[in-house]
């Protein structure tokens, strides 16, 4: 059971928008930065969003992040078939003194 | 080019030991915290351990505390994970990852990942 809760799967058509939620508590999301990772099949994870809503260089602005209270959201617009991947949220948990991940969300672009 | 290259994975019997290494290049290694993250077959990401840039602070997931030890040699730009008393549930691909900051916390995300090394614990 993951400390952070994500939906197991989401789907949308090419060109559409999708959001992926990540729910936590005051000891993790509520008081720490959230990051998001994309893991394409058979590859290592890749940082998409850091510090709740910042994009590393090279990440297109189709990807966005937000945080409100103890929840965070990843948004992806203009969906492409190449976006099909597993997406994970992550943060620090101050009570556990540990990094924590969500269980991951599989995105299917129909 | 910023790069992380893990090595040391393999097949080990339950109760055995293994040491993973992660060679870093392309950045000032001592300026960044580093982490180990694992992924069991067909499962999600699980953070294992992290160490500050200086090596003075270390953190562990409860699942490995007391069995695994993270360390780094900044003169060799190398991160290590000593794994003892291995169990079947430690079977996974182990990734090393570079943190965006020098201390482990506050955590600002992990922006560089290695390709992973596979550890299989089985008799």
């Amino acid at each position: 059971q993951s400390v952070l809760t994500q939906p197991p799967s989401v789907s949308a058509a090419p060109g559409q928008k999708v959001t992926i939620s990540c729910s936590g508590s005051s000891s993790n999301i509520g008081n720490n930065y959230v990051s998001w990772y994309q893991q394409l099949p058979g590859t290592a994870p890749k940082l998409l969003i850091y510090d709740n809503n910042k994009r590393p260089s090279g990440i297109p602005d189709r990807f966005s992040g937000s945080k409100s209270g103890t929840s965070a959201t990843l948004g992806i617009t203009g969906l492409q078939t190449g976006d099909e991947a597993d997406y994970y949220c992550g943060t620090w948990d101050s009570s556990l003194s540990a990094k924590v991940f969500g269980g991951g969300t599989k995105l299917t672009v129909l | 080019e910023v790069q992380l290259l893990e090595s040391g994975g393999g097949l080990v019997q339950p109760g055995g030991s293994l040491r993973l290494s992660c060679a870093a290049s392309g950045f000032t290694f001592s300026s960044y915290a580093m982490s180990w993250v694992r992924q069991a077959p067909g499962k999600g990401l699980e953070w294992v351990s992290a160490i500050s840039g200086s090596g003075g602070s270390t953190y562990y997931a409860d699942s490995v505390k007391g069995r695994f030890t993270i360390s780094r040699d900044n003169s060799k730009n190398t991160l290590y994970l000593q794994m003892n008393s291995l169990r079947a549930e430690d079977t996974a691909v182990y990734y090393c990852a570079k943190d965006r900051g020098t201390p482990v916390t506050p955590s600002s995300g992990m922006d560089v990942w290695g390709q992973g090394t596979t550890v299989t614990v089985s008799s």
Side-chain angles (χ1 to χ4, degrees):
Chain A
Q1 202 78 330
S2 301
V3 172
L4 305 180
T5 302
Q6 297 181 234
S9 63
V10 296
S11 62
Q16 296 301 302
K17 174 183 178 178
V18 71
T19 60
I20 298 173
S21 61
C22 177
S23 178
S25 67
S26 59
S27 67
N28 42 66
I29 291 178
N31 284 285
N32 292 284
Y33 289 123
V34 176
S35 51
W36 289 90
Y37 303 88
Q38 176 193 60
Q39 188 175 32
L40 297 169
T43 70
K46 175 183 178 181
L47 180 66
L48 282 181
I49 298 290
Y50 67 94
D51 291 359
N52 303 330
N53 55 18
K54 298 180 174 64
R55 283 177 286 107
S57 61
I59 302 299
D61 59 6
R62 300 189 299 108
F63 295 90
S64 64
S66 64
K67 187 181 98 167
S68 178
T70 59
S71 293
T73 302
L74 173 70
I76 312 173
T77 60
L79 278 171
Q80 303 171 1
T81 55
D83 295 331
E84 286 202 334
D86 293 322
Y87 292 83
Y88 296 89
C89 58
T91 187
W92 179 259
D93 191 296
S94 304
S95 295
L96 298 174
S97 289
K99 295 192 181 192
V100 292
F101 286 105
T105 299
K106 183 176 181 62
L107 168 64
T108 301
V109 181
L110 303 168
Chain B
E1 179 190 5
V2 177
Q3 195 170 6
L4 297 172
L5 187 62
E6 303 97 335
S7 61
L11 174 63
V12 60
Q13 292 188 339
S17 298
L18 214 54
R19 188 176 85 153
L20 306 183
S21 299
C22 172
S25 59
F27 64 98
T28 305
F29 183 66
S30 60
S31 293
Y32 297 95
M34 298 291 294
S35 295
W36 287 99
V37 176
R38 69 184 181 185
Q39 187 168 34
K43 302 297 185 181
L45 301 177
E46 179 188 14
W47 173 79
V48 172
S49 182
I51 186 169
S52 62
S54 68
S57 298
T58 58
Y59 303 85
Y60 298 92
D62 285 345
S63 58
V64 307
K65 204 170 292 183
R67 300 188 299 124
F68 290 12
T69 302
I70 191 172
S71 62
R72 65 191 297 160
D73 185 336
N74 286 343
S75 68
K76 294 183 178 179
N77 290 346
T78 302
L79 175 73
Y80 303 100
L81 185 68
Q82 177 66 43
M83 304 186 295
N84 299 331
S85 303
L86 283 162
R87 307 166 180 167
E89 53 264 37
D90 295 319
T91 295
V93 175
Y94 284 73
Y95 297 101
C96 71
K98 167 188 167 292
D99 283 27
R100 292 192 66 258
T102 302
V104 173
T105 176
S107 176
S108 186
M110 294 171 278
D111 60 351
V112 182
W113 295 67
Q115 85 293 343
T117 187
T118 300
V119 172
T120 303
V121 184
S122 174
S123 55

